[in-house]
Amino acid sequence: MGFTTIAWFSMNKDVDGNGMGVTTADLPFEVAVSAPYTNSPDYSSLLQSQLSYNTSAHETSGNVGEIKCLMNDATADPTNPMRGMQPGSYGSITFMIKPKITGTYTIHFDIAAVGYHAEFETDNAGALQPNILKNTTVNGESVPVFYSLADYAELQSGIISELEAISSPTPEQREKLASAREDVANSPKASRFLKGHILFFENWSSSTKYYSDFIDPEIGFDRTYTFTADDVAGTMTAARTEELTVTLYWIWPNTFAQIVLDNGNTYLNERDAAMFGSTQPAISGQTPREKMIAYIASHSDLFFESTNAVFSDTIDPDSGEVTETAASKIAALIAGLSSNPDDIVPLNNGYNNSDQIIGENVQILFTEITASVP
């Protein structure tokens, strides 16, 4: 199954619109979601009319292999159609498993945030219309301008080859060439940074607002269920219905400080609340924050864009050997924040720089979850 988020990024890193979709293969269960698009008619129209998504189905069954609905964005503003998913946004995804066959099954879930390039129309006053994609003609048919980041980078590579072959380019052609080169360089970066900036968790506390059970996008997570005859017949109790309902929690941290600092720290304000607390219990020897920090240290390429030496390995100029890894430097920097609080600055800057690359290169975002039964 796949959950889909439609998003538009403005020049100040805002993202507009969010949605969710679900697809299933031949599995021993179906998936159901609540009524889609109840709070975003603009994006319902975009999905239905221009991206050919069926927004009427709420449950997979028979020949219905895909369903779509909005993700719950707790920060959405229904009065502002240009305000949607962006750094600082958070919310949840909820769906229900509906068993078809009795038996015990371990369901494995993988998760990925996938970015796309798209171009939108403007109205007569020049204001962007994020619910109307620009169209182009392909083989005599009008289709929306909508590419995966990989396809868009390949398209720009072709443009670069054409422009580099021009002996005396005009100023406009030189500008287009520079823009294409930047797109080719940054599209794969944006794709990579999405994995470290939109974070998913299995649990969130409504009282403390802390997250736990981080979902590693490279590993995913498992849930094991024993489907009973009552489950298959659809006559399960309310408590059993709750057991078969899956809720995941997502957040796009506005600053890196939210991940590593406690509430009350001078580098955190009320809007950018801490994602973790020092009092959270350890699981398998690590608190939720410690687990997240360990992941960041070993996957710094998903979180930071910076020329600061802390984000790259230190190499001996004579031997060419690595004398200190970026992972160890980042981990040490984070560990020393209690005595050197200003060391959060390069971390925040590197995180914000990568946010900027996402914002400049991603216009539509699909956050996909796939389910399989090994």
Side-chain angles (χ1 to χ4, degrees):
M1 58 191 141
F3 295 91
T4 307
T5 297
I6 297 301
W8 173 77
F9 290 72
S10 74
M11 291 304 291
N12 64 355
K13 300 196 302 180
D14 285 350
V15 188
D16 197 279
N18 40 44
M20 178 175 69
V22 181
T23 60
T24 62
D26 186 16
L27 298 173
F29 58 88
E30 302 290 1
V31 172
V33 296
S34 60
Y37 307 113
T38 55
N39 66 340
S40 184
D42 286 347
Y43 287 89
S44 174
S45 172
L46 173 66
L47 290 174
Q48 194 167 13
S49 64
Q50 298 187 51
L51 299 181
S52 302
Y53 290 158
N54 179 0
T55 60
S56 61
H58 298 174
E59 181 178 335
T60 60
S61 62
N63 62 353
V64 179
E66 181 179 74
I67 54 178
K68 303 274 187 223
C69 72
L70 283 180
M71 289 173 66
N72 171 33
D73 181 354
T75 63
D77 180 0
T79 66
N80 181 4
M82 301 300 289
R83 165 63 173 85
M85 190 175 178
Q86 61 181 321
S89 292
Y90 60 88
S92 61
I93 297 171
T94 299
F95 59 91
M96 182 181 177
I97 295 171
K98 305 194 75 172
K100 296 190 296 185
I101 304 171
T102 60
T104 299
Y105 301 93
T106 296
I107 304 174
H108 178 74
F109 298 92
D110 289 302
I111 192 164
V114 183
Y116 290 81
H117 171 84
E119 296 177 11
F120 295 91
E121 294 287 357
T122 57
D123 60 20
N124 292 334
L128 192 71
Q129 295 183 287
N131 61 322
I132 304 178
L133 287 168
K134 283 186 178 179
N135 281 4
T136 188
T137 301
V138 177
N139 297 326
E141 293 188 15
S142 181
V143 296
V145 181
F146 179 72
Y147 307 96
S148 71
L149 291 181
D151 287 346
Y152 184 65
E154 184 176 351
L155 175 67
Q156 296 306 299
S157 293
I159 292 174
I160 290 172
S161 297
E162 293 176 3
L163 292 173
E164 287 180 338
I166 299 173
S167 58
S168 300
T170 65
E172 291 78 10
Q173 289 171 329
R174 287 195 294 269
E175 183 178 350
K176 186 176 181 181
L177 177 59
S179 177
R181 286 171 173 164
E182 186 175 10
D183 288 339
V184 168
N186 286 338
S187 288
K189 289 183 181 180
S191 181
R192 188 174 71 245
F193 290 143
L194 284 173
K195 298 177 183 179
H197 285 239
I198 301 176
L199 305 175
F200 290 84
F201 298 84
E202 292 189 67
N203 289 293
W204 174 78
S205 170
S206 59
S207 58
T208 65
K209 315 301 182 185
Y210 294 149
Y211 294 84
S212 58
D213 299 301
F214 167 63
I215 301 172
D216 184 333
E218 296 178 338
I219 298 174
F221 67 100
D222 294 334
R223 297 279 177 94
T224 299
Y225 301 93
T226 296
F227 298 152
T228 68
D230 284 341
D231 295 335
V232 173
T235 57
M236 70 282 280
T237 64
R240 180 57 174 160
T241 299
E242 185 175 348
E243 290 175 0
L244 293 173
T245 297
V246 179
T247 297
L248 305 177
Y249 302 91
W250 62 269
I251 182 172
W252 188 340
N254 191 46
T255 68
F256 185 74
Q258 288 178 262
I259 302 174
V260 296
L261 299 179
D262 284 328
N263 285 322
N265 189 285
T266 56
Y267 280 99
L268 281 177
N269 55 40
E270 185 176 348
R271 175 174 179 263
D272 301 333
M275 291 173 53
F276 308 103
S278 300
T279 59
Q280 285 179 280
I283 301 174
S284 300
Q286 286 184 311
T287 66
R289 176 183 284 152
E290 289 170 342
K291 180 179 179 180
M292 191 77 247
I293 289 173
Y295 180 80
I296 292 167
S298 59
H299 296 79
S300 59
D301 61 325
L302 306 183
F303 292 86
F304 306 108
E305 169 73 5
S306 177
T307 57
N308 190 305
V310 72
F311 301 116
S312 60
D313 294 343
T314 299
I315 300 175
D316 185 283
D318 297 323
S319 67
E321 295 181 355
V322 175
T323 58
E324 189 177 15
T325 65
S328 63
K329 288 190 285 186
I330 291 169
L333 203 66
I334 295 172
L337 287 175
S338 58
S339 55
N340 300 292
D342 290 345
D343 282 348
I344 193 65
V345 173
L347 296 167
N348 268 339
N349 289 343
Y351 181 87
N352 291 341
N353 290 344
S354 51
D355 255 351
Q356 187 67 28
I357 288 176
I358 295 173
E360 291 174 349
N361 291 273
V362 177
Q363 288 74 40
I364 292 182
L365 173 65
F366 291 83
T367 302
E368 302 172 344
I369 298 175
T370 59
S372 59
V373 178

